[in-house]
Amino acid sequence: MRFLVAVLSFILLTGCMNQKSRQFKEYLKGDWRIENPILQSFIRFEENGKTTYYLNQFSYRLDSLAETGRWNLDEIRKGIETDTFVVTIDKQPQKTVFQFVPINKDRIKVIDEKGQTFFTRIQKSNFTTD
């Protein structure tokens, strides 16, 4: 009986984590402005795990001079009010592990070994070239 309860608990927990994982991946998809005080850079997360990093607004607008890599959701850490999502971005020359804390639908607090910053979702209509 204990074994059955343990197995059912494991299945329920796994199902909840998979649902959160899918929701976060859907949430993360899209273009984000990195609120860096030195320069304004951008990052694009695609559903297939591809990531594209743009050093500045001009390379973002022209879709040029970009660095590409892969992203993967590694872990979901249960929080009191908000969960933390641990994401690895594998881009040359190194992998970087970030902790993402969603603030709202268009803003994320991002923490790494260098400190923290914020990502703000970009609406494509804001960056049309005329």
Side-chain angles (χ1 to χ4, degrees):
M1 182 65 173
R2 289 183 189 164
F3 178 73
L4 180 61
V5 170
V7 169
L8 290 175
S9 296
F10 177 75
I11 291 171
L12 181 62
L13 180 63
T14 303
C16 289
M17 294 305 260
N18 284 338
Q19 181 181 0
K20 279 188 181 185
S21 175
R22 282 190 303 274
Q23 288 173 341
F24 179 75
K25 288 176 182 180
E26 186 64 31
Y27 167 78
L28 191 59
K29 272 190 333 188
D31 295 2
W32 298 82
R33 185 181 76 232
I34 301 171
E35 297 178 16
N36 184 335
I38 298 168
L39 71 119
Q40 200 175 59
S41 50
F42 299 82
I43 191 163
R44 174 178 296 141
F45 294 97
E46 296 180 26
E47 186 174 7
N48 62 3
K50 181 180 175 187
T51 184
T52 308
Y53 173 78
Y54 300 94
L55 184 61
N56 56 44
Q57 184 175 356
F58 300 109
S59 63
Y60 177 73
R61 283 185 181 185
L62 299 173
D63 198 15
S64 65
L65 300 173
E67 297 178 20
T68 60
R70 308 278 311 155
W71 70 274
N72 185 51
L73 175 60
D74 294 335
E75 180 183 353
I76 301 173
R77 295 184 182 157
K78 181 76 175 141
I80 295 172
E81 293 181 19
T82 304
D83 294 340
T84 300
F85 299 87
V86 180
V87 175
T88 298
I89 298 179
D90 187 4
K91 153 178 101 67
Q92 295 303 325
Q94 66 184 9
K95 288 184 181 184
T96 306
V97 178
F98 295 98
Q99 296 180 28
F100 285 57
V101 180
I103 306 289
N104 60 38
K105 70 180 186 96
D106 292 327
R107 195 151 192 231
I108 303 172
K109 180 178 182 180
V110 181
I111 305 164
D112 67 2
E113 69 276 353
K114 296 176 187 169
Q116 69 182 22
T117 191
F118 292 91
F119 288 6
T120 303
R121 186 179 305 278
I122 297 296
Q123 305 303 327
K124 282 291 192 180
S125 61
N126 293 347
F127 282 93
T128 57
T129 55
D130 297 330

